[in-house]
Amino acid sequence: MDKINSSMKKNIYIFLIFFMVFTLSLLTSCNKQQISVDTDIVNLKVGETYKLNVVLVESKIRYPEFHYEISDTSIISFLDNEITALSTGTAKITVSVLNTKVDPVIVTVNVDEAPKPTKIKSETNLELVLGETHKIEYSVEPLNASKDVLFSSADNNVLSVDENGVITPKDLGETFVTIKSKENPNVKLRVNIEVVLPKVEKIECESELVL
């Protein structure tokens, strides 16, 4: 009888151990499901953007429904997983999955001021034909500085220039257009322009001698 009781106790112990291991394994498997982001800290300057990649790993959910909560929408905006830095400061994005018990993930976004423009680059000498328009192409350094500039014509009788840098010649002559940074007015560039008449193509006439 004692041997039977001992055997039964042994079997019960084995069963309990097996049950505990199975339960622990099941719980561990459930806990593997988690949100993964490519980074939990994003550093941007005002005007810059960053595409945040988010996936749900170890999950049988084919199309998880992510939810994003922004702590301060005056600092960043978030649309289609793209973060846009609006103003200086720190904001947090809390990422969760709707209708699940998956732990949320927090992404911290630090936004600093954009560097001030130090140089404007463009063509400095142009020859334009009367009656044709021309758009000034330019770049600002450093690359992540504000690209906002002002255009002005030194002589509106010769040509005009609009806010987009499109030049319209009005008369023959020479003048210049100034490109000036809005962020840093001390940074400017002078573009010398001469307005000329269209070139006349040479026309060859063939004449026949009639006797």
Side-chain angles (χ1 to χ4, degrees):
M1 190 72 177
D2 291 338
K3 289 183 178 181
I4 295 175
N5 290 336
S6 176
S7 178
M8 287 182 63
K9 288 180 180 180
K10 184 177 181 181
N11 289 336
I12 291 172
Y13 289 146
I14 292 173
F15 174 78
L16 288 175
I17 292 172
F18 175 79
F19 179 77
M20 291 175 64
V21 170
F22 175 77
T23 303
L24 183 61
S25 174
L26 186 63
L27 290 174
T28 304
S29 175
C30 292
N31 290 334
K32 284 183 179 179
Q33 186 174 254
Q34 60 183 351
I35 299 170
S36 175
V37 293
D38 53 356
T39 180
D40 57 0
I41 298 178
V42 179
N43 296 312
L44 297 174
K45 295 187 182 298
V46 174
E48 292 182 338
T49 60
Y50 181 84
K51 191 78 172 181
L52 184 68
N53 294 314
V54 182
V55 295
L56 185 62
V57 297
E58 299 292 337
S59 173
K60 294 181 180 180
I61 303 175
R62 190 171 183 181
Y63 300 109
E65 190 175 354
F66 292 106
H67 175 71
Y68 304 93
E69 185 175 336
I70 315 302
S71 65
D72 194 332
T73 54
S74 68
I75 295 176
I76 61 169
S77 64
F78 190 80
L79 180 64
D80 295 331
N81 284 59
E82 185 170 87
I83 305 168
T84 302
L86 303 176
S87 62
T88 58
T90 298
K92 295 182 183 297
I93 303 173
T94 302
V95 186
S96 58
V97 184
L98 297 178
N99 304 316
T100 69
K101 295 182 179 180
V102 179
D103 292 335
V105 170
I106 296 177
V107 177
T108 302
V109 183
N110 301 309
V111 181
D112 292 327
E113 287 187 2
K116 289 190 175 183
T118 58
K119 186 177 183 180
I120 296 175
K121 298 177 69 176
S122 181
E123 300 172 279
T124 53
N125 291 283
L126 292 173
E127 182 178 274
L128 303 182
V129 176
L130 187 63
E132 298 180 0
T133 60
H134 177 81
K135 181 176 174 61
I136 298 178
E137 300 294 337
Y138 70 96
S139 62
V140 177
E141 295 181 354
L143 294 177
N144 55 347
S146 172
K147 305 294 187 296
D148 295 334
V149 297
L150 296 171
F151 298 94
S152 60
S153 171
D155 190 342
N156 284 311
N157 292 319
V158 176
L159 60 83
S160 63
V161 59
D162 67 14
E163 60 183 9
N164 298 313
V166 177
I167 300 172
T168 303
K170 295 181 177 180
D171 198 358
L172 302 178
E174 295 183 2
T175 185
F176 62 89
V177 167
T178 301
I179 310 173
K180 182 168 63 175
S181 168
K182 287 185 179 180
E183 181 75 18
N184 187 1
N186 293 324
V187 175
K188 60 183 72 174
L189 179 70
R190 171 171 165 161
V191 181
N192 299 306
I193 302 170
E194 181 181 4
V195 180
V196 299
L197 287 172
K199 292 182 180 180
V200 178
E201 295 183 2
K202 184 179 180 181
I203 302 175
E204 295 183 359
C205 298
E206 293 184 2
S207 59
E208 294 184 0
L209 180 60
V210 180
L211 297 176

